[in-house]
mmCIF file of all heavy atoms in Angstrom:
data_model
loop_
_atom_site.group_PDB
_atom_site.id
_atom_site.type_symbol
_atom_site.label_atom_id
_atom_site.label_comp_id
_atom_site.label_asym_id
_atom_site.label_seq_id
_atom_site.Cartn_x
_atom_site.Cartn_y
_atom_site.Cartn_z
ATOM 1 N N ASN B 285 -14.744 11.939 -14.318
ATOM 2 C CA ASN B 285 -15.342 13.260 -14.224
ATOM 3 C C ASN B 285 -16.683 13.275 -13.511
ATOM 4 O O ASN B 285 -17.110 14.307 -12.985
ATOM 5 C CB ASN B 285 -15.441 13.918 -15.602
ATOM 6 C CG ASN B 285 -14.128 14.552 -16.011
ATOM 7 O OD1 ASN B 285 -13.717 15.578 -15.474
ATOM 8 N ND2 ASN B 285 -13.417 13.930 -16.950
ATOM 9 N N VAL B 286 -17.336 12.104 -13.434
ATOM 10 C CA VAL B 286 -18.598 12.004 -12.756
ATOM 11 C C VAL B 286 -18.381 11.882 -11.231
ATOM 12 O O VAL B 286 -19.159 12.339 -10.434
ATOM 13 C CB VAL B 286 -19.387 10.761 -13.263
ATOM 14 C CG1 VAL B 286 -20.509 10.374 -12.320
ATOM 15 C CG2 VAL B 286 -19.950 11.028 -14.647
ATOM 16 N N LEU B 287 -17.234 11.317 -10.846
ATOM 17 C CA LEU B 287 -16.911 11.043 -9.443
ATOM 18 C C LEU B 287 -16.986 12.335 -8.615
ATOM 19 O O LEU B 287 -16.468 13.359 -8.972
ATOM 20 C CB LEU B 287 -15.491 10.469 -9.339
ATOM 21 C CG LEU B 287 -15.065 9.877 -8.018
ATOM 22 C CD1 LEU B 287 -15.749 8.536 -7.796
ATOM 23 C CD2 LEU B 287 -13.554 9.689 -8.000
ATOM 24 N N LYS B 288 -17.643 12.218 -7.450
ATOM 25 C CA LYS B 288 -17.716 13.370 -6.564
ATOM 26 C C LYS B 288 -16.513 13.345 -5.603
ATOM 27 O O LYS B 288 -16.276 12.337 -4.926
ATOM 28 C CB LYS B 288 -19.025 13.340 -5.732
ATOM 29 C CG LYS B 288 -20.263 13.322 -6.624
ATOM 30 C CD LYS B 288 -21.340 14.328 -6.126
ATOM 31 C CE LYS B 288 -22.471 14.436 -7.131
ATOM 32 N NZ LYS B 288 -21.947 14.847 -8.484
ATOM 33 N N GLY B 289 -15.811 14.400 -5.530
ATOM 34 C CA GLY B 289 -14.640 14.463 -4.650
ATOM 35 C C GLY B 289 -13.823 15.672 -5.023
ATOM 36 O O GLY B 289 -14.122 16.362 -5.950
ATOM 37 N N LYS B 290 -12.782 15.950 -4.235
ATOM 38 C CA LYS B 290 -11.953 17.115 -4.503
ATOM 39 C C LYS B 290 -11.142 16.898 -5.766
ATOM 40 O O LYS B 290 -10.358 15.941 -5.849
ATOM 41 C CB LYS B 290 -11.023 17.363 -3.306
ATOM 42 C CG LYS B 290 -11.794 17.805 -2.061
ATOM 43 C CD LYS B 290 -10.896 18.409 -1.004
ATOM 44 C CE LYS B 290 -10.255 17.389 -0.132
ATOM 45 N NZ LYS B 290 -9.545 18.012 1.030
ATOM 46 N N LYS B 291 -11.311 17.732 -6.765
ATOM 47 C CA LYS B 291 -10.593 17.617 -8.027
ATOM 48 C C LYS B 291 -10.187 19.004 -8.512
ATOM 49 O O LYS B 291 -10.806 19.578 -9.377
ATOM 50 C CB LYS B 291 -11.480 16.926 -9.087
ATOM 51 C CG LYS B 291 -11.886 15.508 -8.721
ATOM 52 C CD LYS B 291 -12.748 14.843 -9.782
ATOM 53 C CE LYS B 291 -14.158 15.379 -9.781
ATOM 54 N NZ LYS B 291 -15.012 14.689 -10.785
ATOM 55 N N PRO B 292 -9.133 19.574 -7.908
ATOM 56 C CA PRO B 292 -8.753 20.954 -8.229
ATOM 57 C C PRO B 292 -7.979 21.099 -9.522
ATOM 58 O O PRO B 292 -7.240 22.076 -9.692
ATOM 59 C CB PRO B 292 -7.895 21.351 -7.019
ATOM 60 C CG PRO B 292 -7.294 20.082 -6.535
ATOM 61 C CD PRO B 292 -8.318 19.000 -6.811
ATOM 62 N N TRP B 293 -8.088 20.142 -10.444
ATOM 63 C CA TRP B 293 -7.443 20.248 -11.752
ATOM 64 C C TRP B 293 -8.483 19.689 -12.735
ATOM 65 O O TRP B 293 -9.319 18.859 -12.351
ATOM 66 C CB TRP B 293 -6.185 19.385 -11.867
ATOM 67 C CG TRP B 293 -5.703 18.758 -10.595
ATOM 68 C CD1 TRP B 293 -4.628 19.136 -9.849
ATOM 69 C CD2 TRP B 293 -6.290 17.627 -9.868
ATOM 70 N NE1 TRP B 293 -4.490 18.339 -8.720
ATOM 71 C CE2 TRP B 293 -5.498 17.405 -8.708
ATOM 72 C CE3 TRP B 293 -7.402 16.790 -10.080
ATOM 73 C CZ2 TRP B 293 -5.762 16.395 -7.770
ATOM 74 C CZ3 TRP B 293 -7.681 15.810 -9.180
ATOM 75 C CH2 TRP B 293 -6.856 15.622 -8.029
ATOM 76 N N SER B 294 -8.463 20.177 -13.985
ATOM 77 C CA SER B 294 -9.419 19.535 -14.901
ATOM 78 C C SER B 294 -8.835 18.176 -15.290
ATOM 79 O O SER B 294 -7.624 17.942 -15.179
ATOM 80 C CB SER B 294 -9.757 20.406 -16.093
ATOM 81 O OG SER B 294 -8.626 20.830 -16.784
ATOM 82 N N LEU B 295 -9.725 17.262 -15.664
ATOM 83 C CA LEU B 295 -9.325 15.884 -15.955
ATOM 84 C C LEU B 295 -9.771 15.555 -17.381
ATOM 85 O O LEU B 295 -10.969 15.426 -17.658
ATOM 86 C CB LEU B 295 -10.021 14.940 -14.937
ATOM 87 C CG LEU B 295 -9.582 15.243 -13.496
ATOM 88 C CD1 LEU B 295 -10.556 14.598 -12.505
ATOM 89 C CD2 LEU B 295 -8.172 14.681 -13.228
ATOM 90 N N THR B 296 -8.803 15.470 -18.283
ATOM 91 C CA THR B 296 -9.172 15.260 -19.665
ATOM 92 C C THR B 296 -8.242 14.270 -20.328
ATOM 93 O O THR B 296 -7.559 13.491 -19.669
ATOM 94 C CB THR B 296 -9.246 16.613 -20.436
ATOM 95 O OG1 THR B 296 -9.736 16.429 -21.743
ATOM 96 C CG2 THR B 296 -7.902 17.336 -20.472
ATOM 97 N N PHE B 297 -8.221 14.246 -21.667
ATOM 98 C CA PHE B 297 -7.528 13.203 -22.388
ATOM 99 C C PHE B 297 -6.327 13.725 -23.169
ATOM 100 O O PHE B 297 -6.264 14.867 -23.559
ATOM 101 C CB PHE B 297 -8.496 12.501 -23.360
ATOM 102 C CG PHE B 297 -9.150 13.460 -24.357
ATOM 103 C CD1 PHE B 297 -8.607 13.670 -25.608
ATOM 104 C CD2 PHE B 297 -10.341 14.129 -24.015
ATOM 105 C CE1 PHE B 297 -9.197 14.540 -26.525
ATOM 106 C CE2 PHE B 297 -10.933 14.986 -24.925
ATOM 107 C CZ PHE B 297 -10.361 15.209 -26.183
ATOM 108 N N SER B 298 -5.365 12.794 -23.347
ATOM 109 C CA SER B 298 -4.281 13.027 -24.311
ATOM 110 C C SER B 298 -4.104 11.638 -24.945
ATOM 111 O O SER B 298 -3.271 10.836 -24.553
ATOM 112 C CB SER B 298 -2.981 13.469 -23.634
ATOM 113 O OG SER B 298 -1.959 13.550 -24.616
ATOM 114 N N TYR B 299 -4.968 11.364 -25.914
ATOM 115 C CA TYR B 299 -5.036 10.024 -26.466
ATOM 116 C C TYR B 299 -4.418 9.934 -27.860
ATOM 117 O O TYR B 299 -4.588 10.836 -28.696
ATOM 118 C CB TYR B 299 -6.506 9.582 -26.561
ATOM 119 C CG TYR B 299 -7.192 9.340 -25.250
ATOM 120 C CD1 TYR B 299 -8.590 9.211 -25.212
ATOM 121 C CD2 TYR B 299 -6.516 9.235 -24.030
ATOM 122 C CE1 TYR B 299 -9.259 8.986 -24.016
ATOM 123 C CE2 TYR B 299 -7.181 9.005 -22.836
ATOM 124 C CZ TYR B 299 -8.565 8.875 -22.849
ATOM 125 O OH TYR B 299 -9.198 8.645 -21.650
ATOM 126 N N GLY B 300 -3.751 8.843 -28.103
ATOM 127 C CA GLY B 300 -3.161 8.549 -29.406
ATOM 128 C C GLY B 300 -3.993 7.458 -30.049
ATOM 129 O O GLY B 300 -4.958 7.707 -30.782
ATOM 130 N N ARG B 301 -3.656 6.230 -29.651
ATOM 131 C CA ARG B 301 -4.350 5.075 -30.224
ATOM 132 C C ARG B 301 -5.849 5.142 -29.926
ATOM 133 O O ARG B 301 -6.691 4.810 -30.771
ATOM 134 C CB ARG B 301 -3.789 3.783 -29.639
ATOM 135 C CG ARG B 301 -2.412 3.421 -30.219
ATOM 136 C CD ARG B 301 -1.802 2.247 -29.462
ATOM 137 N NE ARG B 301 -1.215 2.631 -28.187
ATOM 138 C CZ ARG B 301 -0.735 1.765 -27.293
ATOM 139 N NH1 ARG B 301 -0.801 0.464 -27.519
ATOM 140 N NH2 ARG B 301 -0.214 2.185 -26.156
ATOM 141 N N ALA B 302 -6.192 5.603 -28.729
ATOM 142 C CA ALA B 302 -7.618 5.603 -28.347
ATOM 143 C C ALA B 302 -8.433 6.651 -29.038
ATOM 144 O O ALA B 302 -9.636 6.737 -28.867
ATOM 145 C CB ALA B 302 -7.744 5.755 -26.826
ATOM 146 N N LEU B 303 -7.808 7.492 -29.869
ATOM 147 C CA LEU B 303 -8.560 8.435 -30.690
ATOM 148 C C LEU B 303 -8.450 8.062 -32.155
ATOM 149 O O LEU B 303 -9.267 8.521 -32.978
ATOM 150 C CB LEU B 303 -8.004 9.865 -30.516
ATOM 151 C CG LEU B 303 -8.678 10.758 -29.470
ATOM 152 C CD1 LEU B 303 -7.875 12.030 -29.259
ATOM 153 C CD2 LEU B 303 -10.109 11.102 -29.883
ATOM 154 N N GLN B 304 -7.463 7.254 -32.525
ATOM 155 C CA GLN B 304 -7.184 7.070 -33.952
ATOM 156 C C GLN B 304 -7.454 5.647 -34.472
ATOM 157 O O GLN B 304 -7.416 5.454 -35.684
ATOM 158 C CB GLN B 304 -5.700 7.365 -34.234
ATOM 159 C CG GLN B 304 -5.278 8.796 -33.948
ATOM 160 C CD GLN B 304 -3.828 9.032 -34.262
ATOM 161 O OE1 GLN B 304 -3.416 8.839 -35.420
ATOM 162 N NE2 GLN B 304 -3.037 9.424 -33.283
ATOM 163 N N GLN B 305 -7.682 4.699 -33.598
ATOM 164 C CA GLN B 305 -7.804 3.307 -34.028
ATOM 165 C C GLN B 305 -8.871 3.074 -35.098
ATOM 166 O O GLN B 305 -8.580 2.553 -36.195
ATOM 167 C CB GLN B 305 -8.114 2.436 -32.789
ATOM 168 C CG GLN B 305 -8.312 0.975 -33.084
ATOM 169 C CD GLN B 305 -6.994 0.251 -33.413
ATOM 170 O OE1 GLN B 305 -5.946 0.860 -33.522
ATOM 171 N NE2 GLN B 305 -7.084 -1.053 -33.597
ATOM 172 N N SER B 306 -10.104 3.492 -34.788
ATOM 173 C CA SER B 306 -11.179 3.284 -35.759
ATOM 174 C C SER B 306 -10.917 4.068 -37.059
ATOM 175 O O SER B 306 -11.189 3.612 -38.168
ATOM 176 C CB SER B 306 -12.523 3.811 -35.245
ATOM 177 O OG SER B 306 -12.783 3.319 -33.957
ATOM 178 N N THR B 307 -10.358 5.271 -36.869
ATOM 179 C CA THR B 307 -10.053 6.123 -38.017
ATOM 180 C C THR B 307 -9.074 5.448 -38.960
ATOM 181 O O THR B 307 -9.261 5.435 -40.188
ATOM 182 C CB THR B 307 -9.458 7.442 -37.516
ATOM 183 O OG1 THR B 307 -10.346 7.998 -36.520
ATOM 184 C CG2 THR B 307 -9.246 8.422 -38.640
ATOM 185 N N LEU B 308 -8.033 4.878 -38.381
ATOM 186 C CA LEU B 308 -7.003 4.199 -39.178
ATOM 187 C C LEU B 308 -7.629 3.048 -39.961
ATOM 188 O O LEU B 308 -7.376 2.890 -41.177
ATOM 189 C CB LEU B 308 -5.918 3.621 -38.258
ATOM 190 C CG LEU B 308 -4.682 4.496 -38.044
ATOM 191 C CD1 LEU B 308 -3.875 3.925 -36.885
ATOM 192 C CD2 LEU B 308 -3.855 4.548 -39.306
ATOM 193 N N LYS B 309 -8.420 2.234 -39.294
ATOM 194 C CA LYS B 309 -9.023 1.090 -39.927
ATOM 195 C C LYS B 309 -9.962 1.511 -41.032
ATOM 196 O O LYS B 309 -9.968 0.905 -42.120
ATOM 197 C CB LYS B 309 -9.784 0.236 -38.871
ATOM 198 C CG LYS B 309 -8.864 -0.503 -37.949
ATOM 199 C CD LYS B 309 -9.579 -1.646 -37.234
ATOM 200 C CE LYS B 309 -8.604 -2.795 -37.004
ATOM 201 N NZ LYS B 309 -9.129 -3.857 -36.169
ATOM 202 N N ALA B 310 -10.755 2.573 -40.782
ATOM 203 C CA ALA B 310 -11.698 3.052 -41.802
ATOM 204 C C ALA B 310 -10.945 3.582 -43.013
ATOM 205 O O ALA B 310 -11.387 3.441 -44.172
ATOM 206 C CB ALA B 310 -12.610 4.109 -41.210
ATOM 207 N N TRP B 311 -9.823 4.252 -42.787
ATOM 208 C CA TRP B 311 -9.065 4.861 -43.879
ATOM 209 C C TRP B 311 -8.400 3.809 -44.742
ATOM 210 O O TRP B 311 -8.559 3.835 -45.979
ATOM 211 C CB TRP B 311 -8.006 5.786 -43.260
ATOM 212 C CG TRP B 311 -7.118 6.505 -44.253
ATOM 213 C CD1 TRP B 311 -7.496 7.173 -45.390
ATOM 214 C CD2 TRP B 311 -5.687 6.588 -44.182
ATOM 215 N NE1 TRP B 311 -6.383 7.714 -46.015
ATOM 216 C CE2 TRP B 311 -5.254 7.384 -45.302
ATOM 217 C CE3 TRP B 311 -4.713 6.112 -43.292
ATOM 218 C CZ2 TRP B 311 -3.898 7.666 -45.539
ATOM 219 C CZ3 TRP B 311 -3.376 6.431 -43.559
ATOM 220 C CH2 TRP B 311 -2.981 7.182 -44.658
ATOM 221 N N GLY B 312 -7.623 2.918 -44.124
ATOM 222 C CA GLY B 312 -6.944 1.876 -44.887
ATOM 223 C C GLY B 312 -6.010 2.464 -45.953
ATOM 224 O O GLY B 312 -5.620 1.792 -46.888
ATOM 225 N N GLY B 313 -5.660 3.732 -45.819
ATOM 226 C CA GLY B 313 -4.738 4.349 -46.785
ATOM 227 C C GLY B 313 -5.417 4.793 -48.077
ATOM 228 O O GLY B 313 -4.724 5.264 -48.995
#
Side-chain angles (χ1 to χ4, degrees):
Chain B
N285 278 289
V286 164
L287 191 73
K288 302 226 172 303
K290 293 195 276 189
K291 298 181 285 183
W293 351 255
S294 54
L295 298 163
T296 187
F297 57 93
S298 175
Y299 292 166
R301 286 171 282 172
L303 266 170
Q304 299 181 59
Q305 178 73 356
S306 310
T307 307
L308 265 168
K309 288 198 146 172
W311 179 48

